[in-house]
Amino acid sequence: MRKTPRIAVLGTGIMGCSTALFLARKGVEVSVFDMAEQPFSAASRWNEGKIHLGCLYSADPSLSTADRVIPGGLKFRPLIEELVGTSLAPAITSEDDLYLCHRKSVTSAAEMKTYMEKVVERVRNHPDAAQYLADASGSRVHPLSASELAGLTSSTDIVAGFRTPERSVDTNWVAERFIPAMDAEASIQQFMKTRITAVRPAKDGIDGKWEIETSEGIFGPFDYVINSLWQGRLAIDRTAGLEPTGVWSHRYRQSLFLRTKEPVHTPCAVIATGPFGDIKNYNGRDFYLSWYSDGLRVDSSDISPPEPYLTAQNLENLPNSIFDHLQSLLPWVAQIREQAERSTIQGGWVFAVGQGVLSDRDSTLHSRSEYGIQRLGNYISVDTGKYSTAPAMARALVEAII
């Protein structure tokens, strides 16, 4: 009789938790490690929740990014519902995203339109199109008329707009369903408040068992170690003998998460393509707002990037700065500002293959297709890519192992 492997998962964001749950439901004993107090404490909780179909990446006319993210985005809803055991419907934004082309966008409005039409054609023709957050099997790109655009903005910096089939989810809602799902699995051991310092072969080399060195001691041996960290993944890879290659960027970003006193009816809008901002209206009262350059605290190509320097003044000034930038382009953002009941500035680390600044069309960050899985024997390192692609990647990884 084949022995069930013992597996360690590093990191309890959406990739780590999805992997752990899929493994546990196959009868595998799983140990998860994270330095946070509970799962979903960093970037997997504190992000905009866009379930990507590729519309953001108009500076990648090859469509390689869209081709990578579309399958995972279309599978996101059914996989999350399987993992947390409830409908995702209450967390989904009610309207399709508006993409607003900024005058300083790295692509022209005509290029953006052509690109999005090609992307949405791929979505529409995909066999899983109906499984998206909203049925995308009949989706189209709808350019905004002059009067529609004028109803959104009077700024000459916004030169065009497009309604796309992309939507988002409230990541806090998702996080609050994952945590009890993890707690309910008896075969998942959670080692929280535990900092991972190294992973090394225990015996028989890289194809044998592995041990994990942590702030709380050494754990193992494990048949497999899956490194799904978003912060510090490359440094741990190096201790295991998997040397990082290519170029990459570690970025620590903060955004504004806000709840209003009364419902506010505004669209979900993305100002593209470059270092601009976006607004997510999840349910009329819960909002996400960002302005890229305001919230970017660290942008580093170091294997171990420096911790963000966060001061009380930074945190105090950021909400007004985000509102000022967004409101200068979209006056209706003032409704959200006036109705604010409580707000918080939160963020996390994001890893991406590529470097450069988003205001540069030649930046390799405009193409996000180079992510996935690297293996060194039974040590597996996972570059999740996007929040939206994590559940599909986790399921594929588990199917490959078990």
Side-chain angles (χ1 to χ4, degrees):
M1 182 176 179
R2 186 178 178 184
K3 182 183 177 183
T4 302
R6 185 180 181 216
I7 298 178
V9 176
L10 313 184
T12 57
I14 191 169
M15 182 68 200
C17 288
S18 296
T19 303
L21 286 169
F22 281 131
L23 285 168
R25 291 169 188 177
K26 287 184 175 291
V28 176
E29 181 184 341
V30 188
S31 298
V32 297
F33 296 84
D34 201 298
M35 64 181 178
E37 290 191 9
Q38 66 175 4
F40 275 76
S41 293
S44 287
R45 179 185 285 270
W46 304 114
N47 73 87
E48 76 275 22
K50 176 182 283 298
I51 307 306
H52 284 274
L53 297 176
C55 292
L56 182 63
Y57 296 98
S58 59
D60 179 15
S62 73
L63 298 177
S64 60
T65 303
D67 287 338
R68 284 301 310 274
V69 301
I70 286 171
L74 295 178
K75 283 289 190 184
F76 185 88
R77 179 174 186 168
L79 290 177
I80 292 294
E81 291 179 339
E82 176 185 344
L83 287 165
V84 303
T86 191
S87 171
L88 190 59
I92 300 172
T93 52
S94 62
E95 296 182 5
D96 294 342
D97 276 0
L98 296 178
Y99 273 81
L100 304 175
C101 182
H102 195 278
R103 180 173 54 85
K104 294 183 179 180
S105 169
V106 297
T107 57
S108 69
E111 289 173 317
M112 197 176 290
K113 177 176 181 292
T114 299
Y115 168 83
M116 288 184 178
E117 287 174 341
K118 291 178 180 178
V119 168
V120 173
E121 181 182 17
R122 279 167 155 75
V123 172
R124 186 171 61 244
N125 293 330
H126 196 283
D128 295 327
Q131 297 187 53
Y132 186 57
L133 302 183
D135 186 348
S137 56
S139 57
R140 296 287 190 279
V141 176
H142 297 283
L144 300 184
S145 67
S147 60
E148 288 174 320
L149 194 62
L152 289 168
T153 179
S154 58
S155 172
T156 57
D157 283 335
I158 303 298
V159 298
F162 309 93
R163 188 175 298 278
T164 74
E166 282 189 343
R167 297 201 183 190
S168 301
V169 297
D170 182 339
T171 51
N172 274 276
W173 188 99
V174 173
E176 290 302 319
R177 272 68 186 174
F178 258 97
I179 292 170
M182 291 282 288
D183 291 341
E185 292 291 342
S187 57
I188 298 178
Q189 280 190 295
Q190 298 184 41
F191 296 95
M192 307 305 294
K193 297 191 286 187
T194 303
R195 182 182 293 274
I196 304 111
T197 55
V199 177
R200 307 190 192 283
K203 61 179 181 178
D204 303 326
I206 62 173
D207 294 313
K209 296 184 182 295
W210 292 78
E211 291 181 337
I212 301 171
E213 298 176 11
T214 79
S215 58
E216 304 302 311
I218 296 176
F219 293 82
F222 297 98
D223 297 289
Y224 293 88
V225 173
I226 300 170
N227 182 358
S228 62
L229 295 167
W230 276 13
Q231 178 182 0
R233 181 175 61 88
L234 296 186
I236 299 302
D237 284 352
R238 175 171 276 179
T239 68
L242 185 61
E243 195 66 27
T245 59
V247 296
W248 58 82
S249 171
H250 288 104
R251 286 169 293 156
Y252 188 91
R253 289 186 56 205
Q254 292 183 310
S255 301
L256 177 62
F257 295 80
L258 180 146
R259 185 167 178 82
T260 60
K261 292 174 284 191
E262 300 291 338
V264 178
H265 302 291
T266 68
C268 294
V270 183
I271 303 168
T273 295
F276 306 119
D278 53 348
I279 300 137
K280 299 297 178 208
N281 179 349
Y282 298 114
N283 54 27
R285 293 193 64 195
D286 294 302
F287 290 81
Y288 164 95
L289 302 99
S290 77
W291 191 260
Y292 184 86
S293 55
D294 287 349
L296 184 63
R297 300 302 190 196
V298 178
D299 185 352
S300 172
S301 59
D302 294 344
I303 284 187
S304 297
E307 289 296 318
Y309 180 64
L310 306 176
T311 67
Q313 186 174 7
N314 285 342
L315 296 177
E316 183 180 346
N317 293 341
L318 186 55
N320 283 334
S321 183
I322 290 173
F323 269 121
D324 289 346
H325 277 114
L326 291 172
Q327 200 172 323
S328 69
L329 299 172
L330 306 171
W332 45 267
V333 172
Q335 301 172 53
I336 306 171
R337 194 176 200 168
E338 291 163 2
Q339 284 290 329
E341 179 179 64
R342 64 177 184 267
S343 64
T344 181
I345 291 292
Q346 296 287 352
W349 287 98
V350 178
F351 174 87
V353 173
Q355 289 180 357
V357 293
L358 294 181
S359 57
D360 179 4
R361 180 165 183 158
D362 293 328
S363 167
T364 50
L365 289 175
H366 289 299
S367 175
R368 298 293 294 276
S369 59
E370 298 300 318
Y371 62 87
I373 293 167
Q374 290 182 289
R375 291 190 64 160
L376 182 65
N378 289 343
Y379 175 84
I380 300 167
S381 179
V382 184
D383 175 2
T384 306
K386 308 298 294 184
Y387 175 89
S388 58
T389 54
M393 188 181 295
R395 186 176 70 170
L397 174 58
V398 170
E399 293 293 341
I401 292 174
I402 308 302

